[in-house]
Each structure stands twice: as C-alpha cells, then as structure tokens.
Amino acid sequence: MTRPGSRPPVRPSAAVPASIAGAVDLSVLKDRPAPAPAAEASGDAGGLAPIVDVTTANFEAEVLQRSMQVPVIVDLGSARSPQSQALTRQLGQLAVEAGGTWIHARVDVDSNPQIAQAFGVQAIPTVVAVAGGQPLADFQGTQSDEQLRQWLQAVEQATAGKLSGPPGSAPAAEPEPEVEDPRIVAAEEAIDEGDFDKAAAAYQAIIDAEPKNTDAVAALRQVKFLHRVQNVAPDAVEVADADPGNVQARIDAADAEMAGQQPEQAFARLIDGIKISAGDDRTALRTRLLELFELFDAADPLVVSARRKLASALY
C-alpha cells in the first residue's frame, strides 16, 4: 500500500490509473502484423495525426503504441447508428482543436468485431481512453460538448507527465531531488508502525501550521480512511448484499471495496443506496461518498463520472 500523498492508497498501482483494465484484455489484438503509426498530417502537433481510422490490422500501432506517447480516445461506433456518427463528429472536432495532444481513434465495430469484443462493448457508441497501453476510463452514449470537454480534460490531467509525448516534443526536465520533510517522515513511520492516531496527529500539526498544505490535507484524509477500515468486518460486502436496506452495512461494504482497490464498486454501492433512501439515511450515504471522493484527485475520471451519477441520483 502506498504512503499518503497526492494519490489514494486504494487505487491500482500502475504508471497510469485504469478504471476498466481488469476487465479488458487487449493482448488478443497484439499478435497481428501492424503498419507503422500514421506519419505527419496537416494541422497536427509533433507529427501525430489527430484522427485515425483503426482496424484489427493497425490496432497495436495506432492504439497501443500511440498510447505510450499521448492518450488515445477509442471511439467504437457504427455507421448504422446516428448517435455514433454524431459523437464521432464531436470528437473529431475536439481532436483537431487539441492538435495532437490526444488521438481520436475511430473504430467501426461492424467491420472490426474483435476490437469491440476486446473492450467488452455492450452498446454503441462506447468511448474508451487508452494510455500507457491500458484502458483508463470509458463511457457509453452521447454527451454534450461541455461533458466531453470535461471528460477529456480529466483524462489529460490524469496522464500528465506519465507519457512520452508526441514525437519531437521537448523531453521533460529532470525533476529536482526532493528534500524529505522530517514531519512527513515521522508521520510515515507512524503509519508503518500501525499507529494511525499518531500519524493523524502529525499531519494535523502540519495543517495547523500550514493550512494551505494540500499534501498534508490529502494525507490526513487517507490516514483517517486507513484507520477506519481496520474496524470493517471481513464479510462486510456479503452482509450488505444480504440486507440492501441496512445503511450502515452498505457504508461499511463501500469502505471494504475501496480498501480492496474497487473504487467503482464502492461509488456505485453508495449511489445505489442514495437512490432508494431519504432523510438521515440519504445524508449518511452521501457524506461517506463525498469522503471517498476526497481520497482522489478531483479530476480523476472515476470521480468525474461518479459525481455525474450522484447528481442524477439526487435530482
């Protein structure tokens, strides 16, 4: 489990966080002869064409290899679907605006069913962001321009500094070596010892002295979460599933799922409870959901998606 910092300890440990990677196996599309990635195209940046048509033959080059440089937004649709065509036009316009900072990869699922199968597509249109060779975030259905821009911005923020960038882009400057803060070291040692009260007190002391220390604020939230889940029963999920109306059991199960690196399931469990509850029960579920959101960067695609679902559940 990682130490408290800018990322929560409950996310999968990977170069790029993934929301559906566990359910998607893209290796089935890697054993095909693939042409080299598309060369320069007019209007693009760094020699990357902002829009590319992807088939099983060029999937590895245009999606997997490209996603090591910049996010690749895989647009899985069909010419038979007006909704697909509308979303493809929206994404194409935004890709041109972005100038090669991400790639719009268009996939006709009718002609390339293996790609749709690899992504587990259940409805069209489906859009999946791929970064570092792995799925990062996804959505189904049409979106407004504002929603698309917010989602794309979240993807770019989540991958910032983690990919090599377009060809010809300046290499990232070597970061200055960090000088360890002895107060942080003390807090981390307390965590290693399992003394969460001591760790929380150490982070709180930093916040009292430096109210704008966002790292300490994030770390304190994570320590409180780690402390809380020590008391969650091992069978919390089974208990909640057996008694859907038990609000406390639902809250405990969400904590257990978050600790088990299943944030999507934890968010969904609480949102489902909010939909069927009212009064103090709804407030308790919403409060815990917001606390779990705070374990993540606000721009994390998982949080952005869950906040939209929470708004729908409330209103």
Side-chain angles (χ1 to χ4, degrees):
M1 184 170 290
T2 54
R3 298 182 187 277
S6 60
R7 300 288 299 173
V10 293
R11 286 303 301 271
S13 175
V16 179
S19 67
I20 59 174
V24 177
D25 180 10
L26 302 182
S27 63
V28 296
L29 300 172
K30 293 180 65 175
D31 298 327
R32 300 174 176 274
E40 297 185 10
S42 60
D44 66 319
L48 289 184
I51 303 173
V52 62
D53 289 318
V54 171
T55 65
T56 53
N58 68 357
F59 182 89
E60 181 175 1
E62 297 295 356
V63 176
L64 299 183
Q65 292 179 16
R66 278 294 186 223
S67 73
M68 302 297 178
Q69 301 171 323
V70 296
V72 176
I73 308 303
V74 182
D75 172 13
L76 298 123
S78 167
R80 298 179 291 104
S81 166
Q83 292 85 359
S84 291
Q85 296 301 297
L87 182 59
T88 295
R89 286 192 294 271
Q90 284 178 285
L91 284 169
Q93 292 170 355
L94 294 174
V96 171
E97 288 180 20
T101 57
W102 56 269
I103 303 301
H104 177 203
R106 304 180 299 198
V107 177
D108 182 345
V109 299
D110 297 325
S111 303
N112 301 277
Q114 287 178 293
I115 298 179
Q117 183 179 7
F119 280 110
V121 172
Q122 297 180 345
I124 56 171
T126 289
V127 174
V128 182
V130 178
Q134 293 293 328
L136 171 69
D138 66 297
F139 67 82
Q140 292 181 356
T142 56
Q143 306 287 324
S144 68
D145 282 346
E146 181 180 359
Q147 289 173 319
L148 269 180
R149 289 181 187 277
Q150 290 177 347
W151 187 81
L152 290 165
Q153 182 181 33
V155 168
E156 291 187 81
Q157 290 176 349
T159 58
K162 296 171 182 164
L163 304 176
S164 64
S169 59
E174 287 293 327
E176 292 291 330
E178 294 185 8
V179 178
E180 287 192 295
D181 185 330
R183 302 171 301 174
I184 298 294
V185 172
E188 292 176 344
E189 288 176 349
I191 294 172
D192 291 339
E193 295 165 2
D195 192 339
F196 296 110
D197 287 332
K198 183 178 179 181
Y203 284 121
Q204 187 61 59
I206 296 173
I207 296 168
D208 291 342
E210 304 171 19
K212 295 184 179 180
N213 189 322
T214 56
D215 286 342
V217 171
L220 178 59
R221 290 169 178 162
Q222 293 173 25
V223 167
K224 289 181 176 179
F225 171 78
L226 290 172
H227 195 182
R228 186 173 74 233
V229 298
Q230 304 303 306
N231 299 317
V232 173
D235 61 347
V237 172
E238 290 78 5
V239 170
D241 288 344
D243 187 5
N246 187 326
V247 172
Q248 187 57 53
R250 187 180 289 270
I251 289 173
D252 290 343
D255 274 354
E257 288 170 327
M258 187 66 70
Q261 299 190 357
Q262 296 178 303
E264 283 183 291
Q265 289 90 325
F267 293 162
R269 181 179 295 276
L270 293 173
I271 291 170
D272 288 344
I274 288 168
K275 291 177 181 177
I276 61 174
S277 63
D280 291 343
D281 287 347
R282 172 175 275 204
T283 299
L285 291 163
R286 180 176 179 274
T287 298
R288 180 51 50 86
L289 180 61
L290 295 178
E291 289 173 351
L292 295 184
F293 284 167
E294 289 180 339
L295 297 174
F296 297 77
D297 188 307
D300 191 297
L302 281 179
V303 175
V304 172
S305 175
R307 283 192 181 278
R308 285 202 302 263
K309 293 174 183 176
L310 171 61
S312 297
L314 290 172
Y315 306 107

